[in-house]
Amino acid sequence: MKPNRGLLVVLSGPSGSGKGTVLKRAMQKNEQLELSVSVTTRAPREGEIDGVNYYFLTPEAFQNLLVEDGLLEWAEFCGNFYGTPREKIEQRLNEGKDVVLEIEVQGAMKVRAAFPDAVLIFNLPPSLEELKNRLIGRQTEPPEVVEKRMNTAVWELSQAENYDYVIVNDNVEDAANAFLSILSSEKCKTARNKALLAHF
């Protein structure tokens, strides 16, 4: 039997909510998960590697991808552009691989429009106060950028109801387990197992 098409999973959440940490732990526990590497026009942070964390592009190169319809979705966030390369994702899904997109709310809604069966998960911080403490604690941005991210976070949290699931990242291990439980449940849906049912 041909393998089921893989799950396209979207994980979003405010900057500083720890979605990357949750995803990293989930991928350690489930090696079948693949992270889609996004493209961005923002500068690399310390320790980030081109092609691993992001593909870091010039604004001109990003614009060329847009013109060629090479992005599944794209969004502007805090003055920088982010996008998801289309071709590789389609290929991996057709091979039965589960692909995770760690993207912003705007991009998630575009993915939902293009892939109605995508699984959208929103990563919540324990509280707004804790979120601000995490952003300040990173010491990667000046206070005015932290404030801008907090204002954006309030809007993003208002959009969480458009997602299929929410997880609270109060404890990374628990949040990663919740994330993996969602994927397990989705794989058992009858709508995703039509070939199996037809076999019987």
Side-chain angles (χ1 to χ4, degrees):
M1 248 188 342
K2 183 182 176 184
N4 283 350
R5 183 172 161 88
L7 294 177
L8 180 59
V9 184
V10 173
L11 180 64
S12 302
S15 180
S17 65
K19 56 188 178 294
T21 306
V22 170
L23 185 54
K24 182 179 179 182
R25 182 63 185 129
M27 293 180 74
Q28 288 170 346
K29 295 162 82 74
N30 181 348
E31 295 179 356
Q32 300 305 310
L33 285 175
E34 290 194 13
L35 177 63
S36 169
V37 180
S38 298
V39 296
T40 183
T41 59
R42 80 158 169 78
R45 293 187 184 131
E46 186 177 349
E48 288 184 329
I49 300 167
D50 186 53
V52 176
N53 303 99
Y54 286 96
Y55 294 108
F56 296 99
L57 302 181
T58 64
E60 293 76 20
F62 190 94
Q63 186 63 35
N64 288 341
L65 267 181
L66 271 180
V67 170
E68 296 163 4
D69 197 30
L71 297 176
L72 173 62
E73 59 76 31
W74 65 276
E76 182 182 0
F77 184 74
C78 289
N80 295 302
F81 291 93
Y82 298 79
T84 301
R86 179 189 299 271
E87 188 176 349
K88 187 171 182 182
I89 288 176
E90 284 283 7
Q91 176 189 338
R92 301 306 274 165
L93 291 175
N94 289 331
E95 292 170 355
K97 304 293 184 183
D98 298 331
V99 181
V100 185
L101 311 181
E102 185 190 334
I103 57 177
E104 311 301 333
V105 171
Q106 297 162 296
M109 295 304 105
K110 292 175 184 175
V111 171
R112 168 53 55 81
F115 287 85
D117 64 344
V119 182
L120 272 58
I121 304 172
F122 196 91
N123 184 70
L124 293 166
S127 66
L128 281 174
E129 183 182 9
E130 174 61 19
L131 181 67
K132 188 166 188 177
N133 289 339
R134 289 178 184 179
L135 286 172
I136 293 170
R138 289 199 309 206
Q139 297 184 331
T140 57
E141 293 154 339
E144 60 271 18
V145 174
V146 169
E147 201 57 42
K148 187 173 183 180
R149 288 195 183 278
M150 286 300 299
N151 291 336
T152 302
V154 172
W155 176 80
E156 288 174 315
L157 290 165
S158 75
Q159 302 302 303
E161 63 185 24
N162 295 319
Y163 284 67
D164 301 308
Y165 302 92
V166 293
I167 55 177
V168 179
N169 182 20
D170 196 10
N171 174 283
V172 172
E173 193 74 14
D174 291 345
N177 287 338
F179 179 86
L180 293 173
S181 294
I182 290 167
L183 303 197
S184 295
S185 298
E186 284 288 331
K187 284 179 174 289
C188 293
K189 282 188 171 178
T190 53
R192 298 188 191 275
N193 288 280
K194 290 179 179 175
L196 176 64
L197 295 173
H199 178 70
F200 285 99

